[in-house]
Amino acid sequence: NGSVTLEAVHGGPLTSTELSQISLFCNSAGDGNGSGVRSSSEIVNKSSTMIDLKNKNMVGNWAKLDGDLLASLTPMLQEHVVSAVAVDLVGEGRDVISKYMEASSHLIENGGPAISIHQWMMQVARYSGPNSAPLGSLGGAKVEPGAGYRRLQILCSGLQSAYILFSIMASPGIDRRAVEDDTIEACVNLIKNHIQKHIIPSLSNTGHLGVASSTSSSKPPQDQDDEYLHPEMMSPMSKKTPMPRRSTPNRNDVAKSLKAVYGPILSTIGLFGTILESAETFIITNEMDDRLLFTVCAASLSSLTIDSSTAVRADTASLASLVQVSAMNLAVAIFRRYPRHRSIITEDLFPLMLKLPTSKRSLRTYLVRKSHGSTEMTNIKHSPYANTSGHEYIQPITALLLLSIQTCVTMPFQSDEDITEEGNADGGAEGSGSDSNQFDGEENKNSKANDTSGLDACAAVCNQFTSQMLQRCSRKGEEGGASEFRPILHNLIDDLLFVRQLPEYPSAEMILFYLSQRLGHDLLRASSMSKSSAQQMEATYLATAMDALGKITSAVASGLLLNRESRFQLPESMSPGQFDPKEEVNRCFCGRGNLDTFMLDCDRCHSWYHGSCVGITKDTVPEVWLCDDCILQTVILEQAKVFARGNGNSRPLTTSDHNHVLRQLLLSHLSKKSHTFLSPQAERAREFWIATWVKELTLSKNISNDVGTFDLRLVRSHVIAQWPYSRLQEHRNSLSKYLSTDGYQRIMTCLVASTELSQNFPRLLGVLLRLVGDGMASIRKLSLKAILQVVNVDPALMAQPSVRKEVSRCFHDEAISVREAAVSLVGDYVLQTPNLATAFHATLLERILDRGVSVRKRIVKIFRDILLTNPAYAGRATACHAMLQRAADRKEDDGVRDLIHETFHILWFNSKAFTMGTSTLELLELSNSTPGRKASQDGTKAELYCLEASKQMVEVVKVSGSPEILTSLVKGLLFGFNEGDKDKKVAERKRRQEDARNQCSSLVSSVIELLLAFEENREQNEDDGKELVALLSTLSVFSEAYPELLVPHIDTLVPYLKGDNSAKKYEPSIVSTVSIVVSHVSSHFSRAELNRLMAGELSTDLVNIAYKFPDRAVSAAVEALCALTNHPEASQGSI
């Protein structure tokens, strides 16, 4: 249409086609005719030399253009940018939808025609109506078909113009007339508006939130309704008449309709990413006004608040990640370029954290490591950071913090002599100072080492961030969002501990170090206060700080343990020796066997590895291939010849020497990655590793002990020489042998174990142990829980005298919560190391008499878990006896008593107990210790466990000396403990009773089997009598509780009534126990069974007991005779 102007359609004098072509090509510096301003067509079509703007090597050719030409081009581009800044597609589209919905609801009368959002976004507009006008003639004055598409075109033209302007302004040597403040400000405002008004609402599906909710159940006041209505949407009649119940459009309907706007906006993300990249280049090469810097930085950081919604598009998460990565790179560039603003930018991170998405799906979206299949080394077990594809992610805010700190690193000084001498002088002045003076001296040395290594700016940012973060977490109540910052701190620490093992994020170690230092300081400060002043520190923060410190300490302990378990086989001296492998074995780190797949043989040690694990296929096999251990051994020997002090091949190589070579291999890996993928993150990580290495070398010069064979001055010069990229190419080939992915993971494990944080582990553990002895019970309890985290990772720490001393002392603490925490700590420890459970058996057993109900419950649960895990536990008899005594005590708490009953039901009367903690192999090994039984397929797993359960019951009777307690338990489990039917657990108890009755038959058979095995292997000594009494007494328990189960085994027991059992001391107990069994079982004899027994010697043996044994045995024998005589089936005169 001839009436449509370029400004109305494209927002400026250039068409979209011209802008697209200018973004790719630009005319050279003119044809020498001296003409000034040229039209856009001439700029596009006349081309003697074409320049590709996307080629970074050609960007500088912008400076070759005529200055007047650029001076005329940039205002035209700026006009497009200014027009785009005024576009708010989401807001305008929301108004269109609202008007359409209200018109559909007959809320607007005589307000003109209304169109749908799809008509508004149509590229080819068709419209006719009572108030129609030629299309395009009204511009943006009225909502009409196609207006939304024209607004989109204006936005796209502005984005293209901003890209061209940033490319021009980023070119070195450009005429300053082309770089005007208004142009820069317009581009910055466009970035801000596009992120906040378009990208964030589109990806998060939040554009409909600008509409008032219509779901309220109560009718709002009239003036409140008017507040949400656009003036044009209110007709005169609507102001006079009462509003209908549905006064505003439904948000859900608006959200669905806005998808027609979201789609075109999301199509601009690719172009917007290139704009952010160009802006990054511009910021690096040019000075910007502070106000504009903060504007673009705030806009970039706001992209981290995106909570991607799949309701818009399935790929919103990947699109959001693309925007966030580009925006983060821009913010990091500002952070690197303008050191004076780092403090302000760091402060701005904290209010941003409160706006971050908290859903599990959107919490961690920054990719840090891609999955490499089954061959990837899993140093961090059970990672919560992996998605369904196996890729691992962290929070974008964590990535921004890491990259910002790494970008602050500067080139180390070539020499540190002055700083070292100053440090020595200060150290001499300290002399024999106090602990605080020594700590300050260490801080001073550390600070000076940071200065000389180029890490001072990184340390300053870490110091500021950690201090501000913990200050916000420590505020009282809800002040300053303290309750919201505490979970943010937990998530941050989780991310830092995860990337701690990744070479691309070395700054994580520094942040964790500063966090641990400040957390320990805060906790010690709280413990040193009086009770009244200690309450000034928020109790919730104390729990948060203690948990965070325990988490960091446990992660450090895990790293040290992992390093001990996965050490490389490295040479201990410079002498190469002779390597003669004994055999060829499969040493592949994946743990798989010799699969039917391609494998490689190491040409040095002749160990075999899967090709897929080491990243080599049949077509890429090198002439000589060495495994990771052999590469390291040869490289260390080669480097030792270069860097060793003095001559001779017999000098020892220490861990410090090994670490120097491991760092060099890691630097070579990062250099290769940076050079291959042009990754600035890898380059910053490489520089950070260099600075960290230099810092360690600086600190090592003042250590009195042996620091290794390598000449540290020579190593320092070699390390610093690798800083500039021009020298990088020369040094990159010095170590041409690259390791596998597993090899680099193991290198990281070794290096992480030697970092400042890892070396500080004794101090971290010492802080926790010191807090265990604090005067506040809450701190003692929290510190024990923190130590529990550490011990769960490395149970061997419980063997340290200092740890065991503090934990043992807490068993007698005055606070119940502290005693419970100590019991939990020891309980978890003995469960992980069953072989050492006996060392704490007496201590745990003592606590079953504790006055704290929670402590007694915890003790019962610990013994239950121990017995389920290890049925042959040496202290099982005393533990079970103690628990039964507590259950029989009438003063015992009902909760404890019920728990004990449930425990014994699980241990002895649950048919599925064998699946709860004991493997088949363990049960078969246990059966080997059972006399007369072979560990073959003679018994099933359930039978083997039942046999162990019966052993436990016999031992309990043996320890207690009486079956009464056990009888009470068995009767209660079989028929109930008189709890009453009103208890909510009555159904569960009935189920347990049924299960117990079903299990009793197996238990009786197992006890009989034990009795027969005992007789078969009996050694005929006095102690055998006690064992025999225990076996028979256990059977008497079942004869009283479930007598019919003993009927099939009565013939096995009757011979013991003769009183000739080779146990003189225990003969009365033996005959009385068997007599009691007979009296209980007799009522279940059949007539045939009774007559058979009476025809034998049963009655005679019972009568003879009265002549041979004391009163107790006589009483039992008489009772048995009476029971037999009074049997309903007994014939008169049978006895």
Side-chain angles (χ1 to χ4, degrees):
N1 193 309
S3 63
V4 180
T5 62
L6 286 174
E7 287 77 5
V9 178
H10 303 287
L14 304 177
T15 66
S16 59
T17 303
E18 291 171 338
L19 288 172
S20 298
Q21 292 177 346
I22 294 175
S23 66
L24 296 175
F25 305 105
C26 181
N27 207 352
S28 187
D31 52 7
N33 57 9
S35 59
V37 180
R38 303 185 180 189
S39 66
S40 59
S41 299
E42 288 177 309
I43 293 175
V44 174
N45 296 326
K46 288 189 177 183
S47 58
S48 57
T49 303
M50 309 306 294
I51 301 176
D52 184 359
L53 297 184
K54 291 189 176 181
N55 188 342
K56 294 186 178 181
N57 297 325
M58 302 295 290
V59 170
N61 286 331
W62 280 107
K64 297 180 181 180
L65 295 179
D66 181 65
D68 294 334
L69 178 62
L70 286 177
S72 62
L73 175 61
T74 52
M76 291 188 288
L77 296 173
Q78 180 182 347
E79 186 176 349
H80 284 277
V81 175
V82 173
S83 299
V85 170
V87 175
D88 182 7
L89 270 182
V90 175
E92 296 168 10
R94 185 171 57 238
D95 291 340
V96 171
I97 296 169
S98 299
K99 289 183 178 182
Y100 180 76
M101 290 183 175
E102 291 172 358
S104 301
S105 301
H106 306 289
L107 295 180
I108 294 182
E109 296 183 5
N110 301 323
I115 61 172
S116 67
I117 189 65
H118 296 284
Q119 291 174 317
W120 189 67
M121 292 297 298
M122 287 175 62
Q123 180 176 0
V124 181
R126 295 288 184 271
Y127 173 72
S128 62
N131 296 326
S132 64
L135 290 177
S137 62
L138 300 179
K142 186 176 181 180
V143 176
E144 61 182 9
Y149 180 78
R150 291 195 296 275
R151 301 291 283 171
L152 176 64
Q153 290 298 104
I154 293 174
L155 176 63
C156 293
S157 298
L159 292 174
Q160 286 183 326
S161 300
Y163 168 64
I164 297 170
L165 285 170
F166 275 126
S167 299
I168 294 174
M169 293 185 291
S171 300
I174 198 70
D175 192 333
R176 296 302 300 173
R177 291 179 300 173
V179 186
E180 298 180 357
D181 292 340
D182 292 342
T183 304
I184 299 174
E185 183 174 2
C187 293
V188 168
N189 288 332
L190 179 58
I191 291 176
K192 172 186 174 182
N193 287 1
H194 194 53
I195 288 179
Q196 296 179 350
K197 292 184 178 180
H198 294 143
I199 292 180
I200 294 179
S202 299
L203 290 174
S204 303
N205 193 23
T206 56
H208 60 284
L209 298 181
V211 179
S213 176
S214 62
T215 59
S216 177
S217 58
S218 61
K219 182 179 178 179
Q222 180 66 34
D223 56 352
Q224 184 176 351
D225 286 350
D226 293 345
E227 181 181 347
Y228 293 104
L229 291 177
H230 193 277
E232 295 180 3
M233 297 167 57
M234 297 180 61
S235 64
M237 183 174 294
S238 66
K239 297 180 181 179
K240 298 178 182 179
T241 58
M243 295 295 293
R245 183 175 182 182
R246 180 174 174 177
S247 59
T248 56
N250 186 280
R251 281 186 176 180
N252 294 331
D253 296 338
V254 175
K256 293 177 182 178
S257 300
L258 275 177
K259 293 179 182 179
V261 179
Y262 294 157
I265 290 176
L266 296 182
S267 65
T268 67
I269 285 182
L271 174 60
F272 187 68
T274 60
I275 293 175
L276 296 180
E277 293 174 2
S278 300
E280 178 186 353
T281 306
F282 167 72
I283 289 173
I284 293 174
T285 56
N286 294 273
E287 283 285 341
M288 279 186 67
D289 180 71
D290 289 351
R291 179 177 59 84
L292 297 179
L293 274 177
F294 291 134
T295 300
V296 70
C297 186
S300 301
L301 295 179
S302 66
S303 66
L304 301 185
T305 63
I306 296 174
D307 188 0
S308 58
S309 171
T310 55
V312 180
R313 271 172 55 172
D315 60 343
T316 50
S318 59
L319 293 176
S321 179
L322 176 63
V323 174
Q324 289 174 344
V325 170
S326 300
M328 287 166 53
N329 291 338
L330 180 59
V332 170
I334 297 174
F335 205 82
R336 180 179 178 87
R337 178 70 171 78
Y338 298 94
R340 66 180 183 273
H341 297 320
R342 289 172 182 169
S343 177
I344 299 176
I345 296 175
T346 304
E347 286 282 348
D348 291 341
L349 294 179
F350 296 103
L352 177 67
M353 290 179 180
L354 300 178
K355 303 177 183 178
L356 297 177
T358 57
S359 62
K360 185 177 180 181
R361 175 179 54 83
S362 301
L363 182 63
R364 292 181 169 89
T365 57
Y366 187 86
L367 179 64
V368 293
R369 183 165 61 180
K370 292 185 177 181
S371 173
H372 297 284
S374 60
T375 63
E376 184 173 288
M377 174 104 170
T378 55
N379 285 340
I380 303 175
K381 301 178 181 179
H382 309 295
S383 171
Y385 308 92
N387 65 357
T388 55
S389 63
H391 301 335
E392 291 167 314
Y393 297 81
I394 60 173
Q395 298 176 102
I397 189 68
T398 306
L400 175 64
L401 178 63
L402 293 168
L403 297 176
S404 299
I405 292 175
Q406 289 173 192
T407 198
C408 297
V409 67
T410 57
M411 184 175 179
F413 295 152
Q414 288 291 342
S415 175
D416 63 337
E417 292 181 356
D418 296 337
I419 296 178
T420 303
E421 291 174 0
E422 184 180 353
N424 289 336
D426 293 341
E430 290 166 6
S432 57
S434 62
D435 292 340
S436 60
N437 289 334
Q438 293 177 2
F439 180 77
D440 292 339
E442 292 179 4
E443 287 293 313
N444 290 334
K445 292 178 182 178
N446 191 59
S447 177
K448 292 167 185 175
N450 285 333
D451 291 340
T452 187
S453 63
L455 291 173
D456 53 335
C458 304
V461 175
C462 276
N463 191 27
Q464 179 193 2
F465 176 81
T466 54
S467 62
Q468 292 293 325
M469 186 68 181
L470 295 184
Q471 282 180 16
R472 283 168 169 80
C473 292
S474 62
R475 291 171 180 168
K476 292 187 177 181
E478 301 296 326
E479 179 186 354
S483 60
E484 297 174 335
F485 275 110
R486 288 164 191 160
I488 292 175
L489 176 63
H490 282 294
N491 290 329
L492 175 67
I493 291 176
D494 289 339
D495 288 343
L496 294 174
L497 293 175
F498 174 69
V499 300
R500 182 172 176 252
Q501 296 282 351
L502 304 181
E504 293 83 4
Y505 305 97
S507 58
E509 197 78 8
M510 176 179 283
I511 302 174
L512 288 169
F513 177 75
Y514 276 86
L515 271 176
S516 62
Q517 292 288 88
R518 290 193 173 276
L519 288 168
H521 179 266
D522 287 351
L523 291 170
L524 291 175
R525 183 165 56 90
S527 67
S528 63
M529 295 179 181
S530 63
K531 190 170 183 180
S532 59
S533 61
Q535 295 176 356
Q536 297 177 2
M537 182 168 286
E538 179 72 17
T540 309
Y541 172 66
L542 286 178
T544 300
M546 192 72 75
D547 181 68
L549 184 61
K551 187 180 297 184
I552 294 175
T553 308
S554 64
V556 175
S558 176
L560 294 173
L561 176 63
L562 184 62
N563 179 51
R564 294 194 298 268
E565 294 177 346
S566 61
R567 283 184 177 274
F568 287 107
Q569 297 179 1
L570 303 179
E572 298 180 355
S573 68
M574 295 178 58
S575 176
Q578 294 183 353
F579 189 83
D580 185 18
K582 297 181 179 179
E583 59 179 348
E584 297 185 6
V585 295
N586 180 356
R587 291 180 54 206
C588 190
F589 44 79
C590 68
R592 297 178 296 173
N594 297 323
L595 305 177
D596 186 16
T597 184
F598 170 67
M599 299 185 70
L600 284 89
D601 172 46
C602 175
D603 292 315
R604 184 171 180 267
C605 66
H606 295 290
S607 299
W608 289 87
Y609 296 82
H610 303 115
S612 59
C613 296
V614 297
I616 297 178
T617 63
K618 293 181 179 180
D619 300 329
T620 60
V621 178
E623 295 184 2
V624 177
W625 181 82
L626 301 180
C627 65
D628 293 336
D629 288 273
C630 291
I631 289 177
L632 283 175
Q633 291 177 20
T634 55
V635 170
I636 287 176
L637 293 176
E638 292 173 0
Q639 296 296 301
K641 296 177 182 178
V642 178
F643 294 105
R645 297 192 300 266
N647 298 321
N649 292 332
S650 60
R651 296 179 64 88
L653 294 176
T654 64
T655 303
S656 178
D657 297 326
H658 296 159
N659 287 341
H660 291 320
V661 180
L662 296 180
R663 286 191 179 92
Q664 182 58 67
L665 283 168
L666 186 63
L667 286 180
S668 300
H669 170 64
L670 290 173
S671 301
K672 179 182 177 182
K673 189 172 184 178
S674 174
H675 178 72
T676 304
F677 302 103
L678 299 178
S679 171
Q681 288 83 3
E683 180 64 18
R684 298 290 85 79
R686 185 187 67 86
E687 294 174 352
F688 199 95
W689 276 108
I690 291 176
T692 306
W693 194 354
V694 172
K695 176 183 177 180
E696 181 179 331
L697 292 171
T698 303
L699 295 174
S700 298
K701 293 185 66 174
N702 291 329
I703 298 178
S704 58
N705 60 340
D706 186 15
V707 294
T709 301
F710 283 24
D711 187 337
L712 299 186
R713 291 182 180 272
L714 188 59
V715 173
R716 179 187 177 92
S717 299
H718 170 74
V719 173
I720 297 177
Q722 300 179 67
W723 180 274
Y725 189 80
S726 58
R727 299 291 302 275
L728 177 61
Q729 295 292 342
E730 178 181 345
H731 291 275
R732 196 168 62 87
N733 297 325
S734 61
L735 293 174
S736 57
K737 302 171 182 177
Y738 293 102
L739 304 175
S740 64
T741 303
D742 173 76
Y744 288 115
Q745 290 287 347
R746 293 170 66 189
I747 285 180
M748 276 301 302
T749 301
C750 293
L751 295 181
V752 165
S754 63
T755 59
E756 192 173 8
L757 178 62
S758 297
Q759 297 302 318
N760 202 43
F761 174 73
R763 177 175 292 180
L764 296 177
L765 185 60
V767 169
L768 296 178
L769 292 176
R770 178 178 174 182
L771 293 172
V772 170
D774 187 71
M776 295 176 59
S778 59
I779 291 183
R780 297 197 301 272
K781 174 185 174 182
L782 293 172
S783 60
L784 281 172
K785 290 185 176 181
I787 294 176
L788 175 60
Q789 296 184 56
V790 183
V791 173
N792 282 338
V793 171
D794 187 3
L797 291 173
M798 278 295 291
Q800 293 188 7
S802 58
V803 178
R804 182 172 292 189
K805 176 183 176 182
E806 292 296 333
V807 174
S808 300
R809 188 179 57 79
C810 290
F811 270 83
H812 304 280
D813 195 276
E814 61 182 10
I816 294 177
S817 60
V818 177
R819 297 199 302 273
E820 182 184 1
V823 166
S824 299
L825 172 60
V826 174
D828 286 359
Y829 167 65
V830 298
L831 287 176
Q832 292 192 51
T833 54
N835 295 333
L836 301 178
T838 54
F840 290 92
H841 176 76
T843 308
L844 291 173
L845 197 61
E846 179 185 1
R847 288 300 97 200
I848 204 169
L849 300 175
D850 194 280
R851 68 174 184 272
V853 173
S854 60
V855 178
R856 299 200 297 274
K857 285 185 176 180
R858 189 71 184 97
I859 288 292
V860 172
K861 292 178 181 178
I862 289 172
F863 280 127
R864 178 192 64 192
D865 295 339
I866 290 176
L867 292 174
L868 282 174
T869 306
N870 181 21
Y873 173 57
R876 60 187 181 182
T878 54
C880 292
H881 175 64
M883 288 189 287
L884 287 174
Q885 282 186 319
R886 296 308 306 167
D889 189 347
R890 295 182 179 181
K891 297 181 180 180
E892 182 56 83
D893 179 79
D894 290 340
V896 177
R897 185 182 293 107
D898 289 343
L899 181 61
I900 293 175
H901 292 162
E902 181 183 358
T903 296
F904 281 107
H905 172 264
I906 294 174
L907 292 176
W908 293 345
F909 296 95
N910 188 351
S911 58
K912 301 296 183 182
F914 65 91
T915 63
M916 297 182 180
T918 308
S919 66
T920 304
L921 179 60
E922 291 171 335
L923 288 171
L924 290 174
E925 290 176 350
L926 291 174
S927 66
N928 281 332
S929 61
T930 303
R933 189 180 186 94
K934 298 180 180 180
S936 60
Q937 300 299 324
D938 296 341
T940 64
K941 190 174 181 180
E943 292 173 345
L944 293 173
Y945 185 87
C946 187
L947 187 64
E948 286 301 315
S950 62
K951 288 182 182 179
Q952 294 176 12
M953 300 176 76
V954 172
E955 290 177 3
V956 168
V957 174
K958 187 176 181 180
V959 169
S960 62
S962 171
E964 293 180 3
I965 298 180
L966 183 61
T967 302
S968 175
L969 172 73
V970 174
K971 282 185 175 181
L973 291 175
L974 291 176
F975 307 108
F977 291 95
N978 299 321
E979 300 92 347
D981 294 337
K982 295 183 180 180
D983 198 321
K984 294 181 180 179
K985 298 182 179 179
V986 61
E988 174 66 18
R989 284 171 175 152
K990 288 183 178 179
R991 186 195 61 80
R992 281 165 34 187
Q993 293 169 17
E994 183 66 25
D995 196 11
R997 285 193 287 268
N998 295 334
Q999 187 70 4
C1000 275
S1001 177
S1002 299
L1003 288 172
V1004 170
S1005 299
S1006 297
V1007 177
I1008 293 295
E1009 184 177 350
L1010 291 175
L1011 178 62
L1012 297 176
F1014 167 78
E1015 291 293 348
E1016 182 179 348
N1017 298 276
R1018 190 174 179 181
E1019 296 179 356
Q1020 302 296 331
N1021 53 42
E1022 275 196 35
D1023 292 337
D1024 288 346
K1026 188 174 183 180
E1027 181 71 18
L1028 180 58
V1029 171
L1031 288 166
L1032 295 174
S1033 298
T1034 305
L1035 291 172
S1036 72
V1037 170
F1038 289 98
S1039 70
E1040 184 175 352
Y1042 209 157
E1044 54 264 37
L1045 296 178
L1046 272 297
V1047 173
H1049 308 289
I1050 194 66
D1051 289 334
T1052 305
L1053 302 178
V1054 167
Y1056 290 101
L1057 292 174
K1058 296 185 178 296
D1060 186 16
N1061 301 298
S1062 302
K1064 296 181 180 180
K1065 181 178 178 182
Y1066 298 98
E1067 287 292 353
S1069 298
I1070 295 173
V1071 295
S1072 63
T1073 301
V1074 177
S1075 298
I1076 292 173
V1077 172
V1078 172
S1079 63
H1080 289 155
V1081 177
S1082 61
S1083 60
H1084 296 274
F1085 289 157
S1086 63
R1087 174 180 295 182
E1089 182 73 16
L1090 182 64
N1091 292 334
R1092 183 181 64 81
L1093 291 173
M1094 293 301 99
E1097 298 180 354
L1098 174 59
S1099 57
T1100 304
D1101 293 337
L1102 290 172
V1103 171
N1104 290 336
I1105 291 175
Y1107 298 101
K1108 297 181 181 180
F1109 298 100
D1111 296 343
R1112 179 171 177 267
V1114 173
S1115 175
V1118 171
E1119 183 178 353
L1121 286 170
C1122 293
L1124 293 172
T1125 304
N1126 295 326
H1127 192 282
E1129 302 294 337
S1131 57
Q1132 189 173 4
S1134 59
I1135 299 180

